[in-house]
Amino acid sequence: MATVVKNRLSRLSKDFADAGGEDADRTRPLTAQETEWKQRINEQLLTVLDLSLIDTVETDKARKEIREIVERLLTEASAPLSRRQRQLIVERIEDEVMGLGPLEPLLADQTISDILVNGFDTIYIERRGKLELTNARFTDPAHLLNTIDRIVSAVGRRIDESSPMVDARLADGSRVNAIIPPLAIDGAMLSIRRFGVELLSMDNMIELGTVTEEVAQVLSAIVRARLNVVVSGGTGAGKTTMLNILSGYIPEDERIVTIEDSAELQLQQPHVVRLETRPPNIESKGEVTSRDLVRNSLRMRPERIIIGEVRGGEALDMLQAMNTGHDGSLTTIHANSPRDALGRIENMVFMTGIAFLINALRSQIASAIDIVLQIARLEDGKRKLVSVQEINGMEGDVITMSELFAFQREGMDDDNNVIGKMQATGIIPAFHKGLAQRGIDLPIEVFEPDWSQMGSK
């Protein structure tokens, strides 16, 4: 592959070299001349290629055929373009027919975690936690709308004036949100939350500094001991990634049911049942909510229930499931702290319209949830597990919690990176006694504040 790239680079013209290289050139806007030829060749392609048969052909074979036809059409038309310009037009047409147009080069870049389209001519990306403006753009608003329609229709959803917002996913599991006029005043908006090709593991999280080795041991024991866990954090903090990694500790002989608005979880166990909500159709009928799926999952003999995110009335059904023998359940929630997470669950239960005594509801929450993990994205763009808290029970009408590990922030370095470390608080969790009964060996020393320093000596 490296040899092929080297040979291609050696043949590029000087104007391409001055443009900043192949990667920069592939996302740059086309000139008026290039746009004119792209449209002309694209129209001719439609007359000689049966696009209805594209889905029946292997992707690599279809791409090769498109490239050959476009190159032949450019040669036959004697297009007054340089070699690199012709190659660029071939790539753009290939991306249009087989992919998502100007988004394809961005989707191919594994360092990009988010793609944010703010109108047809403004595309931002997030790389290593920082936003960057790209020079990629769609041809016009209609081009962007067609691309959005292609994405959502692939997963059986729709977007139009009567339903101008939609959640969808790409083939690789990346999360997609689109919103169009009249709700989006300045034109259609598209947000893509990338899913990496290679799944992250706990070892990766340790290397990235998201967790420490001691905390990783505790998280492994928590999941294997079938404790109910809530992963809390803000948008883009890495909650779903953490949920994926925690699910990796679930034994392969257990039956797992996952419930999501848009399927993102990538569990590797063989016995997984994946459920996804469904929005209402054009007649405002046929909607299936997370709450419907949670209640249905209880009839499917699950040993673990994993809810991608609780954001409404399904919180009540989740608590009931956790309290009726479905221990070891996992979920995520948007909240700024573990205490806020419990408060949000209370509010969600009240959204069901069912009247609860506040003391009875909090007692149910305290008995259902065992652990709350708080994830945060810091100013330097890095994701960190900043708190691990155990729910102890009730004192009066207050849910009591014990913080087992906390991220101790020390400041910023010269490169604006956050300095700090995850530190044990010295509190021995109540669940530690039950680990040995389940055959799980977790040294009590990991909960001592100086354990990490002792291990490094």
Side-chain angles (χ1 to χ4, degrees):
M1 182 65 182
T3 303
V4 173
V5 173
K6 183 177 180 181
N7 291 338
R8 289 180 64 191
L9 289 173
S10 67
R11 296 196 299 267
L12 299 182
S13 58
K14 182 178 182 302
D15 61 334
F16 167 55
D18 292 340
E22 184 174 351
D23 290 339
D25 199 50
R26 191 179 177 193
T27 58
R28 72 165 173 82
L30 296 179
T31 64
Q33 181 191 33
E34 292 165 346
T35 299
E36 180 183 351
W37 277 101
K38 173 178 172 289
Q39 293 174 344
R40 183 185 302 182
I41 297 301
N42 197 34
E43 291 174 359
Q44 295 180 25
L45 177 66
L46 296 177
T47 65
V48 299
L49 183 66
D50 188 352
L51 296 182
S52 65
L53 299 178
I54 288 293
D55 293 337
T56 65
V57 182
E58 292 183 5
T59 301
D60 291 341
K61 185 176 180 180
R63 284 184 174 272
K64 180 180 179 182
E65 183 177 352
I66 291 170
R67 284 195 299 269
E68 292 174 349
I69 295 175
V70 173
E71 289 169 355
R72 176 170 57 81
L73 292 174
L74 284 169
T75 301
E76 292 175 353
S78 300
L81 302 169
S82 68
R83 176 179 295 176
R84 178 52 195 162
Q85 286 177 309
R86 293 189 179 205
Q87 183 180 0
L88 190 60
I89 289 175
V90 170
E91 291 172 350
R92 295 293 174 88
I93 293 178
E94 180 184 336
D95 288 342
E96 290 290 340
V97 176
M98 297 299 299
L100 302 179
L103 300 182
E104 283 297 311
L106 306 179
L107 291 169
D109 187 343
Q110 297 305 313
T111 66
I112 295 174
S113 56
D114 292 279
I115 301 173
L116 309 171
V117 182
N118 298 351
F120 77 96
D121 57 351
T122 307
I123 301 177
Y124 284 87
I125 60 171
E126 181 188 293
R127 182 184 276 120
R128 288 179 284 276
K130 298 295 183 179
L131 290 177
E132 304 173 16
L133 178 64
T134 72
N135 57 8
R137 57 175 291 169
F138 290 86
T139 306
D140 51 37
H143 187 194
L144 172 56
L145 284 172
N146 289 337
T147 301
I148 292 175
D149 187 64
R150 178 182 298 183
I151 293 173
V152 301
S153 61
V155 292
R157 304 199 173 184
R158 64 184 180 87
I159 187 166
D160 50 40
E161 286 191 5
S162 63
S163 180
M165 297 184 295
V166 69
D167 287 318
R169 66 180 185 277
L170 300 181
D172 64 358
S174 296
R175 182 192 306 173
V176 176
N177 175 268
I179 183 168
I180 65 174
L183 300 186
I185 298 173
D186 299 320
M189 305 288 173
L190 179 67
S191 303
I192 300 177
R193 304 288 304 279
R194 295 292 310 283
F195 251 48
V197 175
E198 296 183 3
L199 296 179
L200 289 177
S201 65
M202 188 60 78
D203 290 338
N204 299 135
M205 301 287 270
I206 293 172
E207 292 173 7
L208 293 170
T210 303
V211 300
T212 63
E213 292 186 12
E214 295 74 32
V215 174
Q217 292 182 55
V218 175
L219 297 181
S220 171
I222 285 172
V223 177
R224 288 184 291 133
R226 300 184 65 89
L227 300 182
N228 294 320
V229 180
V230 171
V231 181
S232 168
T235 300
K239 301 185 296 298
T240 303
T241 299
M242 176 60 75
L243 198 63
N244 254 324
I245 292 172
L246 292 177
S247 69
Y249 293 120
I250 299 176
E252 292 191 352
D253 60 351
E254 293 189 14
R255 177 175 169 84
I256 307 168
V257 177
T258 69
I259 298 166
E260 302 173 84
D261 282 333
S262 182
E264 297 176 85
L265 295 173
Q266 298 172 297
L267 276 63
Q268 303 304 302
Q269 289 85 348
H271 201 165
V272 178
V273 179
R274 305 172 70 205
L275 306 180
E276 185 179 63
T277 62
R278 187 177 69 183
N281 59 22
I282 196 170
E283 298 175 347
S284 299
K285 298 180 180 179
E287 181 181 17
V288 179
T289 66
S290 292
R291 189 172 187 192
D292 296 327
L293 294 179
V294 172
R295 285 183 292 193
N296 186 79
S297 70
L298 300 179
R299 305 183 184 98
M300 300 176 68
R301 196 205 166 274
E303 291 179 289
R304 305 259 188 166
I305 298 175
I306 300 179
I307 305 175
E309 180 181 346
V310 289
R311 55 180 63 158
E314 67 273 11
L316 174 59
D317 301 283
M318 177 196 72
L319 293 176
Q320 291 176 337
M322 290 178 171
N323 276 321
T324 55
H326 298 90
D327 50 351
S329 297
L330 308 171
T331 190
T332 72
I333 189 171
H334 273 81
N336 294 324
S337 70
R339 179 65 63 180
D340 287 345
L342 301 186
R344 284 211 65 210
I345 291 174
E346 283 184 28
N347 293 334
M348 291 175 188
V349 171
F350 286 128
M351 288 169 60
T352 63
I354 302 175
F356 278 93
L357 293 174
I358 190 67
N359 197 55
L361 175 56
R362 289 178 179 174
S363 178
Q364 186 170 0
I365 292 174
S367 62
I369 302 172
D370 299 301
I371 301 291
V372 180
L373 308 178
Q374 185 68 34
I375 307 284
R377 182 171 63 171
L378 306 181
E379 297 95 312
D380 55 8
K382 295 177 182 176
R383 278 80 169 173
K384 297 280 187 183
L385 177 62
V386 296
S387 181
V388 178
Q389 299 204 20
E390 179 186 37
I391 295 181
N392 305 118
M394 295 282 294
E395 285 189 6
D397 60 353
V398 177
I399 299 174
T400 59
M401 307 175 73
S402 298
E403 190 165 38
L404 309 180
F405 295 89
F407 181 73
Q408 303 295 334
R409 182 167 176 157
E410 300 171 0
M412 305 280 287
D413 64 16
D414 295 336
D415 296 323
N416 291 322
N417 294 314
V418 175
I419 302 174
K421 60 183 177 181
M422 197 71 170
Q423 187 76 36
T425 62
I427 297 175
I428 308 301
F431 66 77
H432 186 266
K433 294 180 180 179
L435 296 181
Q437 298 173 359
R438 291 178 175 268
I440 300 172
D441 181 25
L442 180 65
I444 199 170
E445 290 82 5
V446 299
F447 299 104
E448 296 179 3
D450 58 349
W451 168 253
S452 58
Q453 285 80 2
M454 291 172 57
S456 61
K457 292 180 181 180

